[in-house]
Amino acid sequence: MARLSIAQARRIALAAQGFTDRKPAGQADVRHLRRVMDRMTVLQLDSVNVVCRSHFLPILARLGPYDRDRLDRYLYRGDEHFEFISHEASITSQELQPLLRHRMGKRRRWLDTLNAEHPGYAEAVHEEVAASGPLSVKELSDPGGRTGPWWGLSKGKIALEALYVTGRLAVHNRDRAFVTSYDLPERVLRADVLDRPTPTDDEAVTELTLLAARSHGIGTDADLADYFRVNVTTIRPILARLVEQGRLHQVDVAGWSEPAYLHPEAKRPRSVPGRALLSPFDPVVWYRPRGERLWDFHYRIEIYVPEPKRVYGYYVLPFLLDEELVGRVDLKADRKAGVLRVRGSYTQDGADRVRVARELAGSLEEMAGWLGLDQVAVEDRGDLAPELRRVVA
């Protein structure tokens, strides 16, 4: 069994995610967006808008400043991608839709519960979308009030989501306020995709596992299972079969207690120069145990932690510098004041604080300009704050 150093594993992982690809010299176009989506396979969505919508940030990390409206048009108005629960709510290639159909039949709980409480309502919503779609919950003739133990959702939203997760509706668009509109799948997805046969569960999970390995480059069984949220016990025999077939290589990574799986197409760069601020939902860091194994970087999102108990802040982005996670910043876009506020800034143990501050300042100023903000303001919190404040323009 081949043995890799932890540094080699980091570089393989970052290359697989597109961090060794050359950034566009000018304005990023559809070719660049397509390349990034192909590398990641999955772009996770989240409604938190403290800095900007989270799905914009992984593209910034890989391409530099780009046109966010162009990205949304490419993702939602083109015919290459669609939204579904592939990781969490995420955007992925329409080519993967047949591989995700097996999940649709297993997500009937909401629909069954709604039908029991409000017989005929979901069918009426489906018929209304079919006749008048695309529609958001606000546009339904009977959106209903908030009902039952549904986390404060309205009856109409529950029906739309239940029809969506079971494949009877598809997401047509999300507007600037992140309001979702739904339509029939045949009006969202390409006909050639919908006409393809449905693979068996084993076939689907096998292909999803290979895609996870390609996008991670290298990973443990838990890493690969998390990418498409598959049960790890389900993929273990699949991994063994893929190794036997030569479609994956089992390797040993120094310091890892579990075996790793290397995709045959994975690049092995000698270095990964560059810098990037990573969204909490970036594939590089979204599975926290992987971040700890690769970088000894303990990272938790503290949005739901009461403020007095937060360690680093509300919306904290790790800072990647030359293949190392060297720090983190708690950011907030103060749009009214035109300021990107650094509410806390911290250095990872062993990192060069002066260099981290200098490089981080460049990334923060780039982000502020991309967001249309006039300046970066560094607050006192964190060990990096004095040096960062000194170098921020």
Side-chain angles (χ1 to χ4, degrees), residues 221-359:
D221 53 7
D223 295 338
L224 303 185
D226 175 77
Y227 212 83
F228 287 99
R229 294 295 168 90
V230 178
N231 190 300
V232 69
T233 59
T234 301
I235 74 161
R236 283 173 179 154
I238 291 173
L239 287 168
R241 186 171 70 236
L242 290 170
V243 169
E244 184 179 353
Q245 294 169 347
R247 301 173 75 187
L248 290 179
H249 303 312
Q250 187 170 326
V251 297
D252 181 36
V253 176
W256 289 12
S257 59
E258 300 291 330
Y261 299 88
L262 177 71
H263 195 278
E265 298 174 6
K267 297 179 181 178
R268 302 191 189 192
R270 294 184 178 181
S271 65
V272 185
R275 67 191 187 201
L277 284 161
L278 303 178
S279 159
F281 309 105
D282 192 295
V284 172
V285 294
W286 68 20
Y287 185 54
R288 311 309 187 208
R290 177 175 171 82
E292 292 180 31
R293 265 186 279 106
L294 277 170
W295 286 282
D296 194 24
F297 192 84
H298 182 82
Y299 179 48
R300 298 293 183 269
I301 188 166
E302 298 181 86
I303 290 173
Y304 304 110
V305 176
E307 186 170 0
K309 295 184 178 181
R310 290 178 195 143
V311 177
Y312 294 108
Y314 182 80
Y315 199 72
V316 175
L317 279 65
F319 183 51
L320 176 70
L321 179 62
D322 293 347
E323 71 203 51
E324 297 279 357
L325 292 177
V326 296
R328 64 191 90 201
V329 282
D330 180 22
L331 298 182
K332 177 179 175 59
D334 185 342
R335 297 171 182 87
K336 185 175 181 180
V339 175
L340 179 61
R341 300 198 181 278
V342 184
R343 304 172 75 181
S345 49
Y346 308 85
T347 314
Q348 186 75 345
D349 289 345
D352 181 341
R353 190 172 298 167
V354 173
R355 181 169 183 248
V356 171
R358 183 178 68 248
E359 297 290 345

Side-chain angles (χ1 to χ4, degrees), residues 152-174:
L153 298 179
S154 69
K155 183 174 65 171
K157 182 62 174 176
I158 296 163
L160 289 167
E161 282 291 300
L163 291 164
Y164 152 66
V165 299
T166 52
R168 298 191 61 202
L169 292 180
V171 171
H172 170 263
N173 191 35
R174 287 183 185 265

Side-chain angles (χ1 to χ4, degrees), residues 110-129:
W110 277 28
L111 196 55
D112 290 343
T113 302
L114 184 64
N115 285 334
E117 294 178 0
H118 305 279
Y121 179 75
E123 283 305 313
V125 168
H126 186 272
E127 290 172 7
E128 185 172 357
V129 172

Side-chain angles (χ1 to χ4, degrees), residues 37-57:
M37 289 298 297
D38 182 62
R39 293 288 194 210
M40 294 191 297
T41 310
V42 172
L43 181 62
Q44 186 175 340
L45 302 167
D46 190 84
S47 61
V48 175
N49 197 26
V50 177
V51 176
C52 63
R53 300 297 180 195
S54 67
H55 69 286
F56 292 132
L57 293 172

